[in-house]
Amino acid sequence: MKYSNPVIKGFYPDPSVCKVEDTYYLVCSSFQYFPGVPLFESQDLINWTQIGHCLTRESQVQLGGVNSSGGVFAPTIRYHAGRFYMTTTNDTTRQNFYVWTDDIYSEWSEPVYVDQGGIDPDLYFEDGKAFFMSNGTGDDGIGGVVQCEINISTGAKRSPSRSIWQGTGGRYLESPHLYKIDGRYYLMAAEGGTEYGHMVVYARGDRLSGPFEAYPHNPVLTNRNLGGYELQGVGHGDLVQDGNGHWWMLHLGFRQIGRWLTYHHLGREVFLTPVTFGEDGWFTAGHDGLTLTLFTTDRIPETVRQRGKKLDTFENTDWALDWCYLRHPEKSNYKLQNDRLLLHGTDVALDEPASPTFIALRQKDFDATIACEVLLSAREEGEAGITLYMDENHHYDLAIRSGADGSRSVIKRLNIGDVKSVEQEIKLGREGAVRLLIRSGHERYHFFLVEDGREIPLGTAQTRYLSSEVAGGFTGVLIGLYAVGQDVSAEFTQFICEYV
């Protein structure tokens, strides 16, 4: 059968996967967004359904004052002795921790902290012992992939933290994962930075503490030399074996907006690539070490069909699964209903590293139509509408604005770095709900006010200014609904996000 990449679209970076019986479970990074660490399940590796989050309570993760692309970094999910573990880093507080659950569909524990630095932690279990890895610096001051034994009940170290591998020489060694396969230990990691030079590398050894011998043909997977190819930034992978003995890698990558336009704004996404072990015990990945947009494989039955959701509405999305907030929200400002959303604004604006009244979906494809009806109630200055949000300094807003004199208008505002500019404004002559419309393409967003079925254009904006190449950071564009102003309330209805 044929399957298309990515298998999970939009800003779901740094995937980690484990298999329990006939089901695969996958987690991703969430950074400053809450709830933290999206959790998915699949029966076939290509169709994934979100079933929850690992961090759903404020007590589990500190996000107050966290800047964009701070907070929760790359997680790892593992299963041992009937229990699921998810370990991750809060990069802002510089703490590594893990949470656990005996029921994957229920709540996860309070955090258990590990006194080892670095980021991108991993857990490995063997012979009743638990080992913790991260990329950082060992107790002896040597950097690289650092390992220690821990008490899995308390997180306390049972051995010194020691660097067991320094990688292959590429910059930003990260994402270490350890496996035991056919009697050998395999240590896989990423190098090159999570950008266009990203790559997966690995080594193997006879003991879990090393020494490790690097694969002679590293990197085992990278798209770094494919100029003009849509899929770029391939790296940060995790291995899993299916029920038929085949190996796969779930890893991140991103889609650039055009053949010669090296910008990406949808974020880093989840890709699936086949892995093959040779008779010599080394493995290869993908098509000659490349990840493709379309793979043909006999490893997945022809009866399996890859599904794709083309329409998001209030009615067919789940507020607790599909939507997210910036940092820890004040829940009293949100009323979430089946067919409508009621928001109460505060003085916190979208440009602040705080928690404005904001709830959002990840943008999952380039070509989309985004629209909703907005009814604004305001006694003072304020606004409410749709934001295409990358971070505090990079977002495009289409909103209804209320003036101190009671006037109302629809604005299109571009926020690009230090430039905050209302590019278009149309005065509204009547009360009542207003329909806002955005059409998204690879290279541009197009903004409209809809009145009496007539689309009134408010201009366009280039997608590249919301890209990681311009904004920096590790996230992607979210489609946010927001309200700003202490005396502002807004009702959102008839929301759609339809992908072509």
Side-chain angles (χ1 to χ4, degrees):
M1 63 91 66
K2 294 181 179 180
Y3 71 88
S4 298
N5 270 316
V7 292
I8 302 178
K9 295 181 175 182
F11 157 55
Y12 293 104
D14 308 322
S16 175
V17 63
C18 70
K19 181 176 180 289
V20 181
E21 296 179 350
D22 62 350
T23 304
Y24 306 92
Y25 300 96
L26 182 146
V27 291
C28 297
S29 298
S30 51
F31 296 94
Q32 73 270 28
Y33 293 99
F34 185 81
V37 187
L39 171 64
F40 296 82
E41 71 174 9
S42 175
Q43 300 294 317
D44 55 27
L45 289 169
I46 60 172
N47 294 297
W48 293 89
T49 301
Q50 190 169 352
I51 59 172
H53 296 82
C54 299
L55 305 176
T56 57
R57 304 184 301 279
E58 190 168 346
S59 60
Q60 292 173 305
V61 59
Q62 195 284 109
L63 293 177
V66 169
N67 286 320
S68 288
S69 293
V72 179
F73 274 33
T76 295
I77 187 169
R78 293 293 182 257
Y79 181 78
H80 175 69
R83 178 166 288 179
F84 290 91
Y85 296 87
M86 187 284 297
T87 181
T88 188
T89 305
N90 187 332
D91 188 62
T92 300
T93 62
R94 309 303 293 180
Q95 291 175 302
N96 283 314
F97 66 93
Y98 56 89
V99 293
W100 56 265
T101 184
D102 295 329
D103 181 358
I104 196 73
Y105 303 103
S106 186
E107 290 286 302
W108 292 66
S109 73
E110 289 299 300
V112 181
Y113 294 96
V114 178
D115 187 21
Q116 178 168 292
I119 60 172
D120 298 4
D122 180 72
L123 279 172
Y124 177 79
F125 298 90
E126 183 173 286
D127 296 334
K129 297 180 179 181
F131 298 87
F132 186 87
M133 291 198 316
S134 57
N135 61 290
T137 304
D139 293 343
D140 57 2
I142 299 175
V145 175
V146 177
Q147 181 190 79
C148 69
E149 183 187 347
I150 63 170
N151 181 329
I152 195 61
S153 298
T154 66
K157 289 170 60 173
R158 286 179 164 169
S159 71
S161 297
R162 188 175 71 88
S163 179
I164 60 173
W165 193 48
Q166 286 74 51
T168 69
R171 65 175 183 168
Y172 304 139
L173 176 65
E174 58 189 337
S175 176
H177 291 305
L178 184 67
Y179 318 89
K180 189 174 185 180
I181 303 171
D182 293 335
R184 284 194 179 105
Y185 296 92
Y186 290 79
L187 180 52
M188 192 168 77
E191 293 178 344
T194 185
E195 304 142 8
Y196 286 84
H198 213 24
M199 54 185 170
V200 178
V201 297
Y202 77 97
R204 72 183 186 191
D206 295 324
R207 296 187 303 160
L208 64 85
S209 58
F212 291 94
E213 176 191 3
Y215 172 53
H217 306 293
N218 274 321
V220 67
L221 186 70
T222 184
N223 281 20
R224 64 185 181 181
N225 293 325
L226 288 183
Y229 193 61
E230 182 185 45
L231 302 189
Q232 297 290 337
V234 169
H236 199 115
D238 200 1
L239 294 178
V240 68
Q241 189 178 31
D242 68 21
N244 295 314
H246 301 300
W247 286 90
W248 301 84
M249 190 188 301
L250 276 301
H251 58 89
L252 66 74
F254 56 77
R255 291 177 283 170
Q256 64 182 37
I257 65 175
R259 185 174 182 184
W260 307 118
L261 296 171
T262 53
Y263 303 92
H264 73 283
H265 63 282
L266 299 184
R268 297 170 299 154
E269 306 174 289
V270 180
F271 293 78
L272 176 68
T273 295
V275 167
T276 303
F277 277 83
E279 293 182 0
D280 57 2
W282 296 111
F283 66 82
T284 58
H287 178 74
D288 295 330
L290 307 173
T291 293
L292 306 179
T293 57
L294 184 68
F295 274 108
T296 301
T297 180
D298 59 3
R299 298 182 178 190
I300 300 173
E302 290 290 344
T303 54
V304 175
R305 291 289 179 267
Q306 189 170 19
R307 302 182 299 272
K309 188 179 179 185
K310 293 293 187 182
L311 177 65
D312 288 329
T313 66
F314 287 155
E315 293 82 359
N316 74 1
T317 54
D318 188 318
W319 292 113
L321 296 179
D322 301 296
W323 298 77
C324 62
Y325 306 91
L326 271 167
R327 307 170 187 89
H328 294 299
E330 177 52 62
K331 288 293 187 71
S332 62
N333 292 324
Y334 301 79
K335 189 172 182 181
L336 315 175
Q337 300 180 348
N338 180 57
D339 63 347
R340 66 193 62 236
L341 168 68
L342 303 175
L343 297 181
H344 184 79
T346 70
D347 291 334
V348 179
L350 296 176
D351 298 341
E352 302 175 45
S355 186
T357 302
F358 164 102
I359 188 168
L361 293 170
R362 290 153 171 85
Q363 184 177 347
K364 296 178 180 177
D365 262 320
F366 296 111
D367 298 318
T369 297
I370 305 156
C372 68
E373 302 272 339
V374 185
L375 178 61
L376 177 69
S377 300
R379 294 190 297 271
E380 301 291 341
E381 293 184 24
E383 66 183 64
I386 306 171
T387 180
L388 302 168
Y389 185 92
M390 175 57 105
D391 63 23
E392 292 91 36
N393 295 311
H394 301 85
H395 53 95
Y396 298 157
D397 311 324
L398 181 61
I400 306 171
R401 184 163 68 177
S402 172
D405 58 357
S407 63
R408 296 198 317 153
S409 59
V410 170
I411 62 167
K412 182 196 77 173
R413 180 173 50 235
L414 306 184
N415 302 268
I416 305 170
D418 294 328
V419 179
K420 321 288 185 183
S421 175
V422 175
E423 293 293 299
Q424 298 286 341
E425 183 170 9
I426 297 177
K427 298 293 184 181
L428 294 173
R430 60 180 177 82
E431 298 293 325
V434 173
R435 188 159 186 81
L436 304 177
L437 169 67
I438 301 172
R439 288 200 175 91
S440 171
H442 281 63
E443 297 180 37
R444 284 189 177 272
Y445 292 106
H446 301 257
F447 302 85
F448 302 88
L449 163 66
V450 181
E451 282 193 329
D452 300 322
R454 183 170 61 95
E455 297 180 2
I456 303 172
L458 284 89
T460 70
Q462 294 182 64
T463 61
R464 71 174 66 188
Y465 295 113
L466 300 186
S467 70
S468 294
E469 289 74 21
V470 173
F474 308 119
T475 60
V477 168
L478 275 72
I479 300 163
L481 306 178
Y482 76 99
V484 175
Q486 194 65 48
D487 294 309
V488 167
S489 295
E491 179 183 64
F492 296 80
T493 56
Q494 301 181 46
F495 172 84
I496 65 163
C497 178
E498 186 172 13
Y499 296 104
V500 176

